[in-house]
């Protein structure tokens, strides 16, 4: 897929393609504040079907959805469908994942809370069988 195929308007540039084993597809990252800042904010763009692995944030995280359709899920809870304008407050140390619906691009701002508490802890990938049950 080409990043120019985004059907939703783009607020921030998509940034650079992120090479990471913590995502199951193609994702782009544009840091809006520098790594190491007191409040790191990244614009994250997922291609359709792309999602990250289960993970936690020692200080918590906030997601501000700016485009497309995607999902957020906390361990042991049902997945929540997300659309532009949705806000997700993720408490510290809560195991979760987020990513695009299989038929839509998904874009959010990721705000890392209390980055001084440490980086994200990456865990296992989201099982295909679990993801495939989502609409």
């Amino acid at each position: 897929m080409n990043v120019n195929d985004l059907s939703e308007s783009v607020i921030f540039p998509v940034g650079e393609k992120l090479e990471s084993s913590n995502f199951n597809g193609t994702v782009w990252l544009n840091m809006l504040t520098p790594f190491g800042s007191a409040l790191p904010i990244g614009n994250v763009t997922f291609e359709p079907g792309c999602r990250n692995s289960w993970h936690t944030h020692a200080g918590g995280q906030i997601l501000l959805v700016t485009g497309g359709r995607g999902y957020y899920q906390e361990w042991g809870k049902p997945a929540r469908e997300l659309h532009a304008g949705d806000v997700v407050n993720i408490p510290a140390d809560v195991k979760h994942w987020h990513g695009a619906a299989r038929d839509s691009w998904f874009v959010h701002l990721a705000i890392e809370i209390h980055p001084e508490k440490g980086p994200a802890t990456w865990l296992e990938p989201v099982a295909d069988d679990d993801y495939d049950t989502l609409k």
Side-chain angles (χ1 to χ4, degrees):
M1 293 228 135
N2 184 319
V3 76
N4 294 326
D5 293 337
L6 286 169
S7 61
E8 302 291 326
S9 63
V10 175
I11 297 171
F12 299 102
V14 295
E16 300 297 320
K17 189 174 180 180
L18 182 63
E19 299 296 335
S20 172
S21 61
N22 297 314
F23 294 82
N24 79 326
T26 304
V27 64
W28 290 263
L29 175 63
N30 177 13
M31 288 305 297
L32 303 178
T33 60
F35 282 111
S37 73
L39 190 65
I41 302 172
N43 183 71
V44 186
T45 303
F46 298 79
E47 73 176 348
C50 178
R51 59 196 179 272
N52 55 30
S53 295
W54 290 99
H55 62 285
T56 63
H57 298 274
Q61 186 181 47
I62 298 171
L63 305 179
L64 305 176
V65 181
T66 60
R69 185 171 72 92
Y71 295 98
Y72 167 78
Q73 184 175 16
E74 291 181 6
W75 187 257
K77 296 183 179 181
R80 173 181 159 196
E81 188 171 318
L82 299 175
H83 301 273
D86 287 337
V87 176
V88 181
N89 290 294
I90 306 166
D93 299 316
V94 168
K95 185 176 178 178
H96 68 282
W97 70 269
H98 35 101
R102 81 180 82 258
D103 62 351
S104 177
W105 289 84
F106 180 59
V107 186
H108 66 57
L109 297 180
I111 303 169
E112 188 177 349
I113 307 301
H114 300 294
E116 70 278 5
K117 293 186 177 184
T121 299
W122 291 98
L123 306 165
E124 71 274 12
V126 175
D128 288 340
D129 289 347
D130 293 333
Y131 181 79
D132 290 344
T133 64
L134 303 173
K135 298 176 185 174

PDB file of all heavy atoms in Angstrom, residues 81-111:
ATOM      1  N   GLU A  81     -13.447  -0.248  19.394  1.00  0.00           N
ATOM      2  CA  GLU A  81     -13.239   0.355  18.079  1.00  0.00           C
ATOM      3  C   GLU A  81     -12.992   1.843  18.243  1.00  0.00           C
ATOM      4  O   GLU A  81     -13.660   2.512  19.032  1.00  0.00           O
ATOM      5  CB  GLU A  81     -14.454   0.109  17.187  1.00  0.00           C
ATOM      6  CG  GLU A  81     -14.225   0.534  15.764  1.00  0.00           C
ATOM      7  CD  GLU A  81     -15.336   0.096  14.819  1.00  0.00           C
ATOM      8  OE1 GLU A  81     -15.812  -1.046  14.926  1.00  0.00           O
ATOM      9  OE2 GLU A  81     -15.713   0.916  13.956  1.00  0.00           O
ATOM     10  N   LEU A  82     -12.038   2.366  17.477  1.00  0.00           N
ATOM     11  CA  LEU A  82     -11.648   3.765  17.577  1.00  0.00           C
ATOM     12  C   LEU A  82     -11.817   4.490  16.244  1.00  0.00           C
ATOM     13  O   LEU A  82     -11.576   3.916  15.186  1.00  0.00           O
ATOM     14  CB  LEU A  82     -10.176   3.871  18.008  1.00  0.00           C
ATOM     15  CG  LEU A  82      -9.818   3.262  19.359  1.00  0.00           C
ATOM     16  CD1 LEU A  82      -8.311   3.332  19.568  1.00  0.00           C
ATOM     17  CD2 LEU A  82     -10.561   3.955  20.490  1.00  0.00           C
ATOM     18  N   HIS A  83     -12.199   5.780  16.350  1.00  0.00           N
ATOM     19  CA  HIS A  83     -12.382   6.657  15.183  1.00  0.00           C
ATOM     20  C   HIS A  83     -11.802   8.023  15.512  1.00  0.00           C
ATOM     21  O   HIS A  83     -11.555   8.342  16.679  1.00  0.00           O
ATOM     22  CB  HIS A  83     -13.870   6.804  14.855  1.00  0.00           C
ATOM     23  CG  HIS A  83     -14.543   5.507  14.568  1.00  0.00           C
ATOM     24  ND1 HIS A  83     -14.557   4.951  13.323  1.00  0.00           N
ATOM     25  CD2 HIS A  83     -15.201   4.648  15.385  1.00  0.00           C
ATOM     26  CE1 HIS A  83     -15.216   3.805  13.371  1.00  0.00           C
ATOM     27  NE2 HIS A  83     -15.604   3.587  14.606  1.00  0.00           N
ATOM     28  N   ALA A  84     -11.615   8.860  14.499  1.00  0.00           N
ATOM     29  CA  ALA A  84     -11.095  10.208  14.694  1.00  0.00           C
ATOM     30  C   ALA A  84     -11.880  10.916  15.790  1.00  0.00           C
ATOM     31  O   ALA A  84     -13.112  10.859  15.826  1.00  0.00           O
ATOM     32  CB  ALA A  84     -11.169  10.996  13.394  1.00  0.00           C
ATOM     33  N   GLY A  85     -11.159  11.544  16.696  1.00  0.00           N
ATOM     34  CA  GLY A  85     -11.766  12.262  17.812  1.00  0.00           C
ATOM     35  C   GLY A  85     -11.794  11.462  19.109  1.00  0.00           C
ATOM     36  O   GLY A  85     -12.032  12.025  20.175  1.00  0.00           O
ATOM     37  N   ASP A  86     -11.554  10.149  19.035  1.00  0.00           N
ATOM     38  CA  ASP A  86     -11.531   9.335  20.255  1.00  0.00           C
ATOM     39  C   ASP A  86     -10.242   9.571  21.031  1.00  0.00           C
ATOM     40  O   ASP A  86      -9.180   9.820  20.448  1.00  0.00           O
ATOM     41  CB  ASP A  86     -11.650   7.845  19.933  1.00  0.00           C
ATOM     42  CG  ASP A  86     -13.051   7.456  19.482  1.00  0.00           C
ATOM     43  OD1 ASP A  86     -14.018   8.185  19.814  1.00  0.00           O
ATOM     44  OD2 ASP A  86     -13.186   6.418  18.815  1.00  0.00           O
ATOM     45  N   VAL A  87     -10.350   9.482  22.347  1.00  0.00           N
ATOM     46  CA  VAL A  87      -9.219   9.630  23.250  1.00  0.00           C
ATOM     47  C   VAL A  87      -9.151   8.381  24.117  1.00  0.00           C
ATOM     48  O   VAL A  87     -10.164   7.930  24.648  1.00  0.00           O
ATOM     49  CB  VAL A  87      -9.383  10.880  24.154  1.00  0.00           C
ATOM     50  CG1 VAL A  87      -8.247  10.977  25.164  1.00  0.00           C
ATOM     51  CG2 VAL A  87      -9.471  12.143  23.305  1.00  0.00           C
ATOM     52  N   VAL A  88      -7.963   7.821  24.248  1.00  0.00           N
ATOM     53  CA  VAL A  88      -7.757   6.645  25.088  1.00  0.00           C
ATOM     54  C   VAL A  88      -6.726   7.004  26.158  1.00  0.00           C
ATOM     55  O   VAL A  88      -5.604   7.390  25.832  1.00  0.00           O
ATOM     56  CB  VAL A  88      -7.254   5.432  24.275  1.00  0.00           C
ATOM     57  CG1 VAL A  88      -7.076   4.223  25.175  1.00  0.00           C
ATOM     58  CG2 VAL A  88      -8.202   5.120  23.124  1.00  0.00           C
ATOM     59  N   ASN A  89      -7.127   6.894  27.414  1.00  0.00           N
ATOM     60  CA  ASN A  89      -6.216   7.109  28.541  1.00  0.00           C
ATOM     61  C   ASN A  89      -5.773   5.744  29.037  1.00  0.00           C
ATOM     62  O   ASN A  89      -6.595   4.965  29.527  1.00  0.00           O
ATOM     63  CB  ASN A  89      -6.922   7.870  29.663  1.00  0.00           C
ATOM     64  CG  ASN A  89      -7.186   9.306  29.287  1.00  0.00           C
ATOM     65  OD1 ASN A  89      -6.251  10.071  29.117  1.00  0.00           O
ATOM     66  ND2 ASN A  89      -8.439   9.656  29.134  1.00  0.00           N
ATOM     67  N   ILE A  90      -4.502   5.448  28.911  1.00  0.00           N
ATOM     68  CA  ILE A  90      -3.967   4.139  29.269  1.00  0.00           C
ATOM     69  C   ILE A  90      -3.178   4.287  30.568  1.00  0.00           C
ATOM     70  O   ILE A  90      -2.145   4.959  30.588  1.00  0.00           O
ATOM     71  CB  ILE A  90      -3.061   3.595  28.146  1.00  0.00           C
ATOM     72  CG1 ILE A  90      -3.824   3.590  26.812  1.00  0.00           C
ATOM     73  CG2 ILE A  90      -2.547   2.212  28.506  1.00  0.00           C
ATOM     74  CD1 ILE A  90      -2.943   3.389  25.598  1.00  0.00           C
ATOM     75  N   PRO A  91      -3.662   3.678  31.653  1.00  0.00           N
ATOM     76  CA  PRO A  91      -2.943   3.787  32.926  1.00  0.00           C
ATOM     77  C   PRO A  91      -1.568   3.126  32.864  1.00  0.00           C
ATOM     78  O   PRO A  91      -1.318   2.257  32.024  1.00  0.00           O
ATOM     79  CB  PRO A  91      -3.853   3.047  33.916  1.00  0.00           C
ATOM     80  CG  PRO A  91      -5.207   3.022  33.269  1.00  0.00           C
ATOM     81  CD  PRO A  91      -4.929   2.960  31.791  1.00  0.00           C
ATOM     82  N   ALA A  92      -0.720   3.501  33.785  1.00  0.00           N
ATOM     83  CA  ALA A  92       0.619   2.919  33.883  1.00  0.00           C
ATOM     84  C   ALA A  92       0.526   1.411  34.063  1.00  0.00           C
ATOM     85  O   ALA A  92      -0.353   0.908  34.775  1.00  0.00           O
ATOM     86  CB  ALA A  92       1.365   3.531  35.058  1.00  0.00           C
ATOM     87  N   ASP A  93       1.412   0.705  33.380  1.00  0.00           N
ATOM     88  CA  ASP A  93       1.587  -0.742  33.509  1.00  0.00           C
ATOM     89  C   ASP A  93       0.387  -1.594  33.082  1.00  0.00           C
ATOM     90  O   ASP A  93       0.321  -2.768  33.419  1.00  0.00           O
ATOM     91  CB  ASP A  93       2.006  -1.112  34.941  1.00  0.00           C
ATOM     92  CG  ASP A  93       3.331  -0.458  35.311  1.00  0.00           C
ATOM     93  OD1 ASP A  93       4.255  -0.484  34.470  1.00  0.00           O
ATOM     94  OD2 ASP A  93       3.433   0.091  36.420  1.00  0.00           O
ATOM     95  N   VAL A  94      -0.552  -1.025  32.319  1.00  0.00           N
ATOM     96  CA  VAL A  94      -1.682  -1.799  31.806  1.00  0.00           C
ATOM     97  C   VAL A  94      -1.277  -2.435  30.470  1.00  0.00           C
ATOM     98  O   VAL A  94      -0.878  -1.737  29.539  1.00  0.00           O
ATOM     99  CB  VAL A  94      -2.943  -0.919  31.636  1.00  0.00           C
ATOM    100  CG1 VAL A  94      -4.021  -1.632  30.840  1.00  0.00           C
ATOM    101  CG2 VAL A  94      -3.469  -0.499  32.997  1.00  0.00           C
ATOM    102  N   LYS A  95      -1.393  -3.753  30.391  1.00  0.00           N
ATOM    103  CA  LYS A  95      -1.054  -4.495  29.173  1.00  0.00           C
ATOM    104  C   LYS A  95      -2.124  -4.220  28.120  1.00  0.00           C
ATOM    105  O   LYS A  95      -3.322  -4.397  28.378  1.00  0.00           O
ATOM    106  CB  LYS A  95      -0.971  -5.989  29.505  1.00  0.00           C
ATOM    107  CG  LYS A  95      -0.515  -6.859  28.357  1.00  0.00           C
ATOM    108  CD  LYS A  95      -0.374  -8.312  28.825  1.00  0.00           C
ATOM    109  CE  LYS A  95       0.034  -9.238  27.711  1.00  0.00           C
ATOM    110  NZ  LYS A  95       0.208 -10.632  28.195  1.00  0.00           N
ATOM    111  N   HIS A  96      -1.685  -3.801  26.907  1.00  0.00           N
ATOM    112  CA  HIS A  96      -2.629  -3.407  25.861  1.00  0.00           C
ATOM    113  C   HIS A  96      -1.970  -3.494  24.489  1.00  0.00           C
ATOM    114  O   HIS A  96      -0.765  -3.696  24.373  1.00  0.00           O
ATOM    115  CB  HIS A  96      -3.120  -1.973  26.108  1.00  0.00           C
ATOM    116  CG  HIS A  96      -2.032  -0.949  25.913  1.00  0.00           C
ATOM    117  ND1 HIS A  96      -1.063  -0.709  26.868  1.00  0.00           N
ATOM    118  CD2 HIS A  96      -1.734  -0.143  24.869  1.00  0.00           C
ATOM    119  CE1 HIS A  96      -0.224   0.219  26.421  1.00  0.00           C
ATOM    120  NE2 HIS A  96      -0.597   0.582  25.201  1.00  0.00           N
ATOM    121  N   TRP A  97      -2.798  -3.321  23.449  1.00  0.00           N
ATOM    122  CA  TRP A  97      -2.312  -3.163  22.079  1.00  0.00           C
ATOM    123  C   TRP A  97      -3.241  -2.189  21.372  1.00  0.00           C
ATOM    124  O   TRP A  97      -4.364  -1.936  21.828  1.00  0.00           O
ATOM    125  CB  TRP A  97      -2.240  -4.500  21.321  1.00  0.00           C
ATOM    126  CG  TRP A  97      -3.566  -5.120  20.985  1.00  0.00           C
ATOM    127  CD1 TRP A  97      -4.272  -6.008  21.759  1.00  0.00           C
ATOM    128  CD2 TRP A  97      -4.363  -4.898  19.823  1.00  0.00           C
ATOM    129  NE1 TRP A  97      -5.446  -6.346  21.142  1.00  0.00           N
ATOM    130  CE2 TRP A  97      -5.525  -5.686  19.944  1.00  0.00           C
ATOM    131  CE3 TRP A  97      -4.205  -4.118  18.679  1.00  0.00           C
ATOM    132  CZ2 TRP A  97      -6.538  -5.708  18.974  1.00  0.00           C
ATOM    133  CZ3 TRP A  97      -5.210  -4.136  17.704  1.00  0.00           C
ATOM    134  CH2 TRP A  97      -6.355  -4.927  17.863  1.00  0.00           C
ATOM    135  N   HIS A  98      -2.776  -1.645  20.238  1.00  0.00           N
ATOM    136  CA  HIS A  98      -3.617  -0.793  19.393  1.00  0.00           C
ATOM    137  C   HIS A  98      -3.135  -0.903  17.963  1.00  0.00           C
ATOM    138  O   HIS A  98      -1.973  -1.237  17.706  1.00  0.00           O
ATOM    139  CB  HIS A  98      -3.643   0.668  19.870  1.00  0.00           C
ATOM    140  CG  HIS A  98      -2.382   1.187  20.463  1.00  0.00           C
ATOM    141  ND1 HIS A  98      -1.503   1.990  19.779  1.00  0.00           N
ATOM    142  CD2 HIS A  98      -1.842   1.011  21.694  1.00  0.00           C
ATOM    143  CE1 HIS A  98      -0.488   2.303  20.561  1.00  0.00           C
ATOM    144  NE2 HIS A  98      -0.652   1.706  21.725  1.00  0.00           N
ATOM    145  N   GLY A  99      -4.042  -0.655  17.031  1.00  0.00           N
ATOM    146  CA  GLY A  99      -3.680  -0.741  15.628  1.00  0.00           C
ATOM    147  C   GLY A  99      -4.876  -0.552  14.727  1.00  0.00           C
ATOM    148  O   GLY A  99      -5.982  -0.269  15.179  1.00  0.00           O
ATOM    149  N   ALA A 100      -4.633  -0.716  13.434  1.00  0.00           N
ATOM    150  CA  ALA A 100      -5.637  -0.444  12.405  1.00  0.00           C
ATOM    151  C   ALA A 100      -6.617  -1.599  12.238  1.00  0.00           C
ATOM    152  O   ALA A 100      -6.289  -2.758  12.495  1.00  0.00           O
ATOM    153  CB  ALA A 100      -4.936  -0.187  11.068  1.00  0.00           C
ATOM    154  N   ALA A 101      -7.815  -1.244  11.783  1.00  0.00           N
ATOM    155  CA  ALA A 101      -8.761  -2.257  11.322  1.00  0.00           C
ATOM    156  C   ALA A 101      -8.197  -2.848  10.030  1.00  0.00           C
ATOM    157  O   ALA A 101      -7.366  -2.228   9.366  1.00  0.00           O
ATOM    158  CB  ALA A 101     -10.131  -1.630  11.072  1.00  0.00           C
ATOM    159  N   ARG A 102      -8.631  -4.026   9.667  1.00  0.00           N
ATOM    160  CA  ARG A 102      -8.066  -4.697   8.486  1.00  0.00           C
ATOM    161  C   ARG A 102      -8.343  -3.945   7.186  1.00  0.00           C
ATOM    162  O   ARG A 102      -7.608  -4.084   6.225  1.00  0.00           O
ATOM    163  CB  ARG A 102      -8.551  -6.150   8.406  1.00  0.00           C
ATOM    164  CG  ARG A 102      -9.908  -6.346   7.836  1.00  0.00           C
ATOM    165  CD  ARG A 102     -10.353  -7.808   7.784  1.00  0.00           C
ATOM    166  NE  ARG A 102     -10.874  -8.229   9.071  1.00  0.00           N
ATOM    167  CZ  ARG A 102     -10.221  -8.957   9.967  1.00  0.00           C
ATOM    168  NH1 ARG A 102      -9.015  -9.382   9.721  1.00  0.00           N
ATOM    169  NH2 ARG A 102     -10.764  -9.258  11.105  1.00  0.00           N
ATOM    170  N   ASP A 103      -9.387  -3.092   7.163  1.00  0.00           N
ATOM    171  CA  ASP A 103      -9.786  -2.403   5.933  1.00  0.00           C
ATOM    172  C   ASP A 103      -9.612  -0.890   6.003  1.00  0.00           C
ATOM    173  O   ASP A 103     -10.192  -0.162   5.217  1.00  0.00           O
ATOM    174  CB  ASP A 103     -11.239  -2.739   5.602  1.00  0.00           C
ATOM    175  CG  ASP A 103     -12.210  -2.283   6.683  1.00  0.00           C
ATOM    176  OD1 ASP A 103     -11.763  -1.865   7.780  1.00  0.00           O
ATOM    177  OD2 ASP A 103     -13.422  -2.349   6.448  1.00  0.00           O
ATOM    178  N   SER A 104      -8.816  -0.395   6.962  1.00  0.00           N
ATOM    179  CA  SER A 104      -8.690   1.052   7.118  1.00  0.00           C
ATOM    180  C   SER A 104      -7.307   1.435   7.622  1.00  0.00           C
ATOM    181  O   SER A 104      -6.727   0.740   8.455  1.00  0.00           O
ATOM    182  CB  SER A 104      -9.729   1.565   8.124  1.00  0.00           C
ATOM    183  OG  SER A 104      -9.578   2.955   8.344  1.00  0.00           O
ATOM    184  N   TRP A 105      -6.814   2.558   7.132  1.00  0.00           N
ATOM    185  CA  TRP A 105      -5.649   3.181   7.745  1.00  0.00           C
ATOM    186  C   TRP A 105      -6.056   3.642   9.131  1.00  0.00           C
ATOM    187  O   TRP A 105      -7.251   3.824   9.416  1.00  0.00           O
ATOM    188  CB  TRP A 105      -5.204   4.383   6.913  1.00  0.00           C
ATOM    189  CG  TRP A 105      -4.580   3.982   5.621  1.00  0.00           C
ATOM    190  CD1 TRP A 105      -5.232   3.691   4.456  1.00  0.00           C
ATOM    191  CD2 TRP A 105      -3.198   3.798   5.370  1.00  0.00           C
ATOM    192  NE1 TRP A 105      -4.326   3.342   3.493  1.00  0.00           N
ATOM    193  CE2 TRP A 105      -3.068   3.396   4.031  1.00  0.00           C
ATOM    194  CE3 TRP A 105      -2.050   3.934   6.139  1.00  0.00           C
ATOM    195  CZ2 TRP A 105      -1.839   3.130   3.453  1.00  0.00           C
ATOM    196  CZ3 TRP A 105      -0.825   3.676   5.562  1.00  0.00           C
ATOM    197  CH2 TRP A 105      -0.725   3.282   4.233  1.00  0.00           C
ATOM    198  N   PHE A 106      -5.089   3.857  10.005  1.00  0.00           N
ATOM    199  CA  PHE A 106      -5.375   4.308  11.368  1.00  0.00           C
ATOM    200  C   PHE A 106      -4.239   5.226  11.797  1.00  0.00           C
ATOM    201  O   PHE A 106      -3.059   4.887  11.645  1.00  0.00           O
ATOM    202  CB  PHE A 106      -5.468   3.103  12.298  1.00  0.00           C
ATOM    203  CG  PHE A 106      -5.768   3.434  13.729  1.00  0.00           C
ATOM    204  CD1 PHE A 106      -6.922   4.117  14.081  1.00  0.00           C
ATOM    205  CD2 PHE A 106      -4.895   3.054  14.734  1.00  0.00           C
ATOM    206  CE1 PHE A 106      -7.215   4.411  15.400  1.00  0.00           C
ATOM    207  CE2 PHE A 106      -5.171   3.346  16.068  1.00  0.00           C
ATOM    208  CZ  PHE A 106      -6.332   4.016  16.399  1.00  0.00           C
ATOM    209  N   VAL A 107      -4.598   6.408  12.298  1.00  0.00           N
ATOM    210  CA  VAL A 107      -3.599   7.392  12.699  1.00  0.00           C
ATOM    211  C   VAL A 107      -3.936   7.907  14.089  1.00  0.00           C
ATOM    212  O   VAL A 107      -5.091   8.249  14.366  1.00  0.00           O
ATOM    213  CB  VAL A 107      -3.541   8.584  11.706  1.00  0.00           C
ATOM    214  CG1 VAL A 107      -2.399   9.522  12.065  1.00  0.00           C
ATOM    215  CG2 VAL A 107      -3.427   8.108  10.272  1.00  0.00           C
ATOM    216  N   HIS A 108      -2.933   7.948  14.958  1.00  0.00           N
ATOM    217  CA  HIS A 108      -3.132   8.540  16.280  1.00  0.00           C
ATOM    218  C   HIS A 108      -1.878   9.253  16.747  1.00  0.00           C
ATOM    219  O   HIS A 108      -0.773   8.967  16.273  1.00  0.00           O
ATOM    220  CB  HIS A 108      -3.595   7.513  17.318  1.00  0.00           C
ATOM    221  CG  HIS A 108      -2.607   6.433  17.654  1.00  0.00           C
ATOM    222  ND1 HIS A 108      -1.330   6.674  18.120  1.00  0.00           N
ATOM    223  CD2 HIS A 108      -2.716   5.086  17.628  1.00  0.00           C
ATOM    224  CE1 HIS A 108      -0.715   5.547  18.369  1.00  0.00           C
ATOM    225  NE2 HIS A 108      -1.529   4.552  18.049  1.00  0.00           N
ATOM    226  N   LEU A 109      -2.074  10.195  17.643  1.00  0.00           N
ATOM    227  CA  LEU A 109      -0.971  10.796  18.373  1.00  0.00           C
ATOM    228  C   LEU A 109      -0.780   9.952  19.622  1.00  0.00           C
ATOM    229  O   LEU A 109      -1.744   9.649  20.331  1.00  0.00           O
ATOM    230  CB  LEU A 109      -1.277  12.237  18.777  1.00  0.00           C
ATOM    231  CG  LEU A 109      -1.498  13.225  17.635  1.00  0.00           C
ATOM    232  CD1 LEU A 109      -1.789  14.610  18.199  1.00  0.00           C
ATOM    233  CD2 LEU A 109      -0.286  13.265  16.713  1.00  0.00           C
ATOM    234  N   ALA A 110       0.445   9.538  19.882  1.00  0.00           N
ATOM    235  CA  ALA A 110       0.777   8.775  21.078  1.00  0.00           C
ATOM    236  C   ALA A 110       1.571   9.698  22.007  1.00  0.00           C
ATOM    237  O   ALA A 110       2.624  10.211  21.628  1.00  0.00           O
ATOM    238  CB  ALA A 110       1.606   7.544  20.720  1.00  0.00           C
ATOM    239  N   ILE A 111       1.019   9.911  23.198  1.00  0.00           N
ATOM    240  CA  ILE A 111       1.648  10.789  24.180  1.00  0.00           C
ATOM    241  C   ILE A 111       2.119   9.917  25.337  1.00  0.00           C
ATOM    242  O   ILE A 111       1.308   9.250  25.989  1.00  0.00           O
ATOM    243  CB  ILE A 111       0.655  11.858  24.673  1.00  0.00           C
ATOM    244  CG1 ILE A 111       0.119  12.655  23.483  1.00  0.00           C
ATOM    245  CG2 ILE A 111       1.317  12.757  25.715  1.00  0.00           C
ATOM    246  CD1 ILE A 111      -1.050  13.553  23.811  1.00  0.00           C
TER     247      ILE A 111
END
